[in-house]
Every structure is written in C-alpha cells, then in structure tokens.
Amino acid sequence: MRKRVYILLALLACVSSLVAQGVTWSVDLNTIFDNREGDKYYSGNGTIFLARISPEVGLSLLDSHKIAAGVSWIQPCGDDWKRHKLKPTLYYRYDGGEWRTSVGVFPRSQFISELPTFLWNDSIAYNEPNVRGLLIQYVKPRGHAELSLDWRSQQSETKREAFNINFNTEWNSRGVLIVGGYAQLNHLAKRKNAPVGEGVNDDIMVNPYIGVNLSKKTALDTLAVKAGALVSLQRDRMVGKWENRAGLLVNAVVGKKWVSVEETFFAGKGVMPLYQSYGTLLNMGDPYFQAPLYSRTDVNFHFIHNRFVNLEASLVFHYTKEAFGFWQQLKLRVFVDEKLWKTRNDKTSRAEWLRNNY
C-alpha cells in the first residue's frame, strides 16, 4: 500500500512539473491622462483619466500553441467603482515563426503595426484593449502582412451588428525604401426589428504608401517619412449612393534620445462624409479627418523606456482651417510576462523596448 502511495505521489509530482513548465502568464498595466482643449468643431473638450490592468494566464501546448484567458479592468480615476468596465480575454494563439494566428478575444498588443489614427482614434483605443475575432500574420525579417477581423457588436434589439476587417503590410528593401499600406472594410448593420429609416452602412478606406527609413543612416535614433493616398468609399444603403473621397497623407517621425516629434498631414477631401450621421458607430478614426486640410503634431517626451516600462508625455496639436485642438497626454505602460521575468536581471538582453499600445 505504501509503495502505491509513493508511486502515485511521484506521478503527481511529474504531472505538476510538466504543467508548471507549460504555464504562461502576463500582467499589462496602463494609466492614461489625456486633457483636451481647443475648439469643439470636430472633437470635444474634456479630460480622460483612467487606469487599466489586464492579467492573463495560459497553457502552452507543443511549443507553438497556447490557450489563454484573462480580464481587462478599466477604471476611470476619481469614480471609485462607478463606470468601471470588465472586458474578458479568451483566445487560442499559434506562433509558428513566419505564420502566427490568434482566434477569440485577444490583446491588440499582438498587432505588429498599430492602426493609424484615421482608422482608430485615441479615445477608443483606451477603452478597447482587445480584438474580438481573428488575426493572421505573416512575418519575415524584412516585412510583414497581417489580416484581422474585429466583431465589435452582436445584433440585438438594442445593438446594431458591427464588424471591421483590417489588412496592413510593410516591407523594407535592403536599403532605406519602405513600401506598405492599410485597408479597412467597416460594416454597420441594422438592429433586430429595426425601426423604419435605419439602414445598413459601409465604410472602406485604403492607404497605400511609400517611404524611406533613414534611422540607421544618421545620428538620429529615428528618422522616417511615408507618403501616400488616403481613399475612402462610404455608403448609406438607405440612400444607395457611394460617397468617394481622397487625399494625400504624409507621416514623418524624427527622434533623438528622449524626445521625438511625429507629424501627420492630410490634404484633399474629408474622408468621413457620414461621420455627422453615425459617429464612431461607423468611423472609428479621429474625427479631424472630416476636414479637407488637417495637421496633427505630436511632441513626445520619453521619460522611462525599457523592456518593462514605457512612461511618456505628449503635447498634441491639431490644426484645421476651422478649428485648433491642444491635448496634453501622460501615458504609462508596465508589462511583464513569464519570459521577461526569467531574464529580468539580464542587462545584456536584446529584447525590444516596450511600446505603448494605444
């Protein structure tokens, strides 16, 4: 009898050891302060101040496969328990090197390229840390391509069905040339038993670009410029007519040590003709892109930037012919997982610096 007990204990110890080796975990903490002032022509004033923590635990299977679950707790500062939100995380992840896939409800931090502001504005990014659907990525040393489906809302008596499909890619030559682009199909359907006059809406945006990355050719840490067309096609099916808009979009980034400046410039015809009717239900990008001429300048100060912590302050200036906006932002992100924890004292680690994911 005693021998059987010893054998059982030994087997349990082996199983526990195997399970423990396969356990993954992470904790992602974000705090955002965003004070917005200026004209209210395109974007309202006010202060956004919130904290968000996203713990996650998972189980790795056969090295390349993982299942994970967690929650994002979003808490407005100064409201105690009022207006807090809990958003679930539950997904399967495959990482086979070149090919990577996530299915379920998974963190947006898995994106290789963050969505630009004409597709995804700051306010939504603060409150939507997860993608609800599918992500497929193809990664090579000189570039990548990724396709995602985000099912934003299930149809009900009170909610309209809504989803968006995003594709982006970027490839670098052996020199400094960059070629890439973004494309989005955004769909807003009706509610169940929808009232008369409520229709289906479509939003398509495409942004092919070409640019140069001179970061390794100068004394600066960052120097890159991209330019391309920004084209939108939007339709209210109750009207039945497509609204076609287009313009030139230029993005430039320059940085040295703890200071960087990013300029986004658009000139053409405002690419959100249905924003006044449907707002962020259809157009989740920055409403300033309704303007025919728009400049956004971000002056960023990187106070702490390492593998675990990214603390930065930004002064953001919005210019249009009709309005001016001035935002002051302070953003903190702290991230650690089981891999980073094991190498926390390794000062020679070549892990990339932590990036903010909003």
Side-chain angles (χ1 to χ4, degrees), residues 10-25 57-63 65-67 338 342:
L11 288 172
L12 288 174
C14 290
V15 172
S16 299
S17 176
L18 289 173
V19 171
Q21 290 177 8
V23 171
T24 66
W25 59 269
V57 64
L59 184 64
S60 63
L61 309 167
L62 303 175
D63 296 329
H65 306 263
K66 182 178 81 168
I67 55 175
E338 79 284 352
K342 288 178 182 178

Side-chain angles (χ1 to χ4, degrees), residues 194-305:
V196 176
E198 182 172 280
V200 178
N201 309 108
D202 303 290
D203 166 35
I204 298 172
M205 283 200 182
V206 181
N207 170 226
Y209 62 78
I210 188 170
V212 292
N213 188 342
L214 301 172
S215 301
K216 297 181 179 180
K217 302 293 184 179
T218 70
L220 297 168
D221 295 328
T222 306
L223 178 58
V225 180
K226 302 175 185 178
L230 178 57
V231 181
S232 79
L233 295 90
Q234 297 191 354
R235 176 177 62 168
D236 186 335
R237 295 191 191 179
M238 294 296 292
V239 178
K241 180 183 177 181
W242 284 97
E243 292 276 357
N244 305 328
R245 304 288 180 89
L248 172 69
L249 182 66
V250 180
N251 178 266
V253 183
V254 58
K256 180 68 174 179
K257 294 185 178 179
W258 58 279
V259 180
S260 66
V261 179
E262 179 174 4
E263 169 65 24
T264 301
F265 176 79
F266 172 78
K269 198 172 182 180
V271 292
M272 296 181 179
L274 298 182
Y275 189 89
Q276 293 299 319
S277 299
Y278 301 103
T280 56
L281 285 175
L282 183 64
N283 295 124
M284 295 168 294
D286 199 311
Y288 279 102
F289 280 94
Q290 296 175 82
L293 189 67
Y294 168 51
S295 167
R296 170 172 173 157
T297 306
D298 293 60
V299 183
N300 305 307
F301 305 92
H302 309 278
F303 298 122
I304 303 176
H305 203 182

Side-chain angles (χ1 to χ4, degrees), residues 50-340:
L50 60 83
R52 186 180 77 204
I53 189 167
S54 304
E56 179 185 299
V57 64
L59 184 64
S60 63
L61 309 167
L62 303 175
D63 296 329
S64 301
H65 306 263
K66 182 178 81 168
I67 55 175
V71 66
S72 285
W73 176 10
I74 304 170
Q75 178 63 54
C77 296
D79 263 355
D80 296 326
W81 287 101
K82 296 178 181 178
R83 294 196 299 128
H84 77 281
K85 298 177 183 177
L86 295 176
K87 293 182 175 286
T89 302
L90 182 64
Y91 67 95
Y92 160 79
R93 175 74 171 171
Y94 169 75
D95 188 344
E98 291 184 355
W99 287 98
R100 306 169 189 178
T101 301
S102 290
V103 182
V105 184
F106 51 90
R108 292 185 182 277
S109 56
Q110 293 183 7
F111 280 145
I112 298 169
S113 293
E114 296 178 27
L115 296 179
T117 54
F118 64 83
L119 296 178
W120 194 248
N121 72 55
D122 306 59
S123 302
I124 296 178
Y126 299 156
N127 290 281
E128 294 294 346
N130 290 336
V131 177
R132 298 138 291 191
L134 172 69
L135 174 65
I136 301 174
Q137 299 168 308
Y138 179 65
V139 184
K140 297 288 282 185
R142 295 198 174 276
H144 69 271
E146 54 187 347
L147 175 71
S148 65
L149 165 66
D150 190 1
W151 200 277
R152 306 193 316 274
S153 178
Q154 292 280 2
Q155 188 182 55
S156 70
E157 298 287 344
T158 57
K159 287 187 176 182
R160 302 178 67 168
E161 180 181 278
F163 66 85
N164 56 287
I165 299 172
N166 288 289
F167 174 77
N168 72 80
T169 185
E170 183 171 289
W171 298 91
N172 303 330
S173 70
R174 294 187 179 276
V176 298
L177 183 66
I178 302 170
V179 178
Y182 292 90
Q184 181 185 83
L185 167 62
N186 197 354
H187 181 75
L188 180 65
K190 298 186 289 185
R191 291 170 285 183
K192 288 183 179 179
N193 304 316
V196 176
E198 182 172 280
V200 178
N201 309 108
D202 303 290
D203 166 35
I204 298 172
M205 283 200 182
V206 181
N207 170 226
Y209 62 78
I210 188 170
V212 292
N213 188 342
L214 301 172
S215 301
K216 297 181 179 180
K217 302 293 184 179
T218 70
L220 297 168
D221 295 328
T222 306
L223 178 58
V225 180
K226 302 175 185 178
L230 178 57
V231 181
S232 79
L233 295 90
Q234 297 191 354
R235 176 177 62 168
D236 186 335
R237 295 191 191 179
M238 294 296 292
V239 178
K241 180 183 177 181
W242 284 97
E243 292 276 357
N244 305 328
R245 304 288 180 89
L248 172 69
L249 182 66
V250 180
N251 178 266
V253 183
V254 58
K256 180 68 174 179
K257 294 185 178 179
W258 58 279
V259 180
S260 66
V261 179
E262 179 174 4
E263 169 65 24
T264 301
F265 176 79
F266 172 78
K269 198 172 182 180
V271 292
M272 296 181 179
L274 298 182
Y275 189 89
Q276 293 299 319
S277 299
Y278 301 103
T280 56
L281 285 175
L282 183 64
N283 295 124
M284 295 168 294
D286 199 311
Y288 279 102
F289 280 94
Q290 296 175 82
L293 189 67
Y294 168 51
S295 167
R296 170 172 173 157
T297 306
D298 293 60
V299 183
N300 305 307
F301 305 92
H302 309 278
F303 298 122
I304 303 176
H305 203 182
N306 56 43
R307 291 184 296 156
F308 302 96
V309 181
N310 189 345
L311 174 62
E312 64 181 39
S314 301
L315 302 177
V316 184
F317 303 90
H318 301 270
Y319 301 93
T320 73
K321 290 182 178 179
E322 303 85 2
F324 168 76
F326 175 42
W327 299 357
Q328 310 98 54
Q329 301 175 335
L330 181 65
K331 301 176 181 179
L332 168 70
R333 185 184 181 201
V334 182
F335 178 83
V336 63
D337 62 11
E338 79 284 352
K339 294 179 181 178
L340 287 171

